[in-house]
């Protein structure tokens, strides 16, 4: 990891994550943002929650590698050229093993969010990081120690990067809570190292 780009945020005595607002490559114009926004799927993805199939409250698509989670599989499409820059930057500055993307498109006017979860690791390389790049509207990124009360919020802004280490993902959930305060568009690009 390029430590000059990241600061360490400590969650407790064992768990940390890395944060960067120095990735100038991700300061896109509104036109460039719209090009990425426009590739979102027309339909919402189905996932299993407590044994029932439900639609995700956001658009979602995997690229490069399939992503299995919540009793569901997000079948990957080839990585389009417009997304290569995110993978390339992450491989050079974080971990060369990163090889698959999962995009989530949040429309604040539609109340889009993602609930508290830990990323499914069954298809990931052990000890690999989970990278998320945020584009568009600021949103709250909430972390909670798994099965405990209380949480820690950070405001995740356009062009910022968060890296969750393997062990932090096992100990802490993360989410983008639903809030009427946010009514614009946001894209999150999560990059993982798949087997």
């Amino acid at each position: 990891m390029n430590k000059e780009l990241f600061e360490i945020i400590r969650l407790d005595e064992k768990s940390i994550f890395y944060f960067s607002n120095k990735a100038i490559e991700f300061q896109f114009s509104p036109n460039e943002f719209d090009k990425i926004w426009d590739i979102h799927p027309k339909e919402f993805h189905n996932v299993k929650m407590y044994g029932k199939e439900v639609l995700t409250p956001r658009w979602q698509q995997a690229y490069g590698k399939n992503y299995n989670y919540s009793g569901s599989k997000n079948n990957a499409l080839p990585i389009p050229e417009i997304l290569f820059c995110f993978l390339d930057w992450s491989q050079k500055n974080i971990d060369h093993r990163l090889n698959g993307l999962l995009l989530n498109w949040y429309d604040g006017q539609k109340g889009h969010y993602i609930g508290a979860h830990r990323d499914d690791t069954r298809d990931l390389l052990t000890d690999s990081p989970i990278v998320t790049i945020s584009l568009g509207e600021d949103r709250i990124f909430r972390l909670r120690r798994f099965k405990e009360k209380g949480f820690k919020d950070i405001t995740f802004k356009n062009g910022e990067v968060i890296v969750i280490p393997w062990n932090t993902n096992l100990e802490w959930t993360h989410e983008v809570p639903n809030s009427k305060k946010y009514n614009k568009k946001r894209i999150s690009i999560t990059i993982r190292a798949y087997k």
Side-chain angles (χ1 to χ4, degrees):
M1 176 179 285
N2 182 348
K3 296 196 174 170
E4 292 180 4
L5 290 176
F6 289 91
E7 65 177 290
I8 296 172
I9 309 292
R10 187 160 292 284
L11 294 167
D12 60 23
E13 63 283 351
K14 294 191 308 183
S15 301
I16 63 167
F17 67 91
Y18 298 93
F19 169 81
S20 178
N21 59 8
K22 298 178 181 175
I24 58 171
E25 295 87 344
F26 304 143
Q27 300 298 324
F28 293 114
S29 71
N31 185 46
E32 291 169 317
F33 175 88
D34 287 345
K35 286 179 182 176
I36 301 171
W37 181 265
D38 289 343
I39 66 172
H40 76 69
K42 291 189 170 109
E43 305 296 326
F44 294 105
H45 190 64
N46 275 311
V47 295
K48 280 192 180 171
M49 300 286 289
Y50 307 108
K52 294 181 180 179
E53 286 207 3
V54 297
L55 296 175
T56 57
R58 65 200 171 278
W59 294 287
Q60 185 177 76
Q61 180 60 55
Y63 295 95
K65 296 287 184 177
N66 295 333
Y67 185 48
N68 295 292
Y69 66 102
S70 298
S72 179
K73 180 179 181 182
N74 195 303
N75 292 312
L77 297 174
I79 301 172
E81 187 175 344
I82 197 170
L83 301 180
F84 280 146
C85 64
F86 301 104
L87 182 59
D88 183 60
W89 185 91
S90 298
Q91 288 172 335
K92 288 176 180 171
N93 290 292
I94 300 168
D95 191 316
H96 70 277
R97 300 173 297 168
L98 296 164
N99 59 3
L101 293 82
L102 182 74
L103 269 67
N104 285 288
W105 291 263
Y106 299 84
D107 187 335
Q109 292 187 351
K110 296 181 185 300
H112 289 176
Y113 68 96
I114 187 167
H117 66 284
R118 296 177 299 162
D119 282 17
D120 195 312
T121 59
R122 77 185 96 172
D123 296 328
L124 303 182
L125 294 174
T126 303
D127 289 329
S128 61
I130 297 160
V131 179
T132 300
I133 300 161
S134 188
L135 303 178
E137 183 176 34
D138 296 355
R139 287 294 294 262
I140 294 299
F141 189 79
R142 178 168 291 167
L143 296 117
R144 302 175 188 263
R145 183 174 267 292
F146 185 57
K147 293 189 175 178
E148 291 187 14
K149 292 185 178 178
F151 55 84
K152 298 190 181 202
D153 282 352
I154 67 162
T155 302
F156 204 177
K157 298 181 179 179
N158 181 58
E160 294 181 339
V161 183
I162 288 176
V163 180
I164 298 177
W166 183 270
N167 288 332
T168 299
N169 178 61
L170 299 180
E171 298 287 335
W172 288 72
T173 66
H174 54 279
E175 63 189 284
V176 176
N178 190 5
S179 171
K180 292 182 179 175
K181 177 181 176 182
Y182 303 103
N183 59 14
K184 296 185 177 71
K185 296 174 180 176
R186 175 181 181 258
I187 303 166
S188 73
I189 298 142
T190 301
I191 306 168
R192 302 178 180 89
Y194 295 87
K195 296 174 186 171

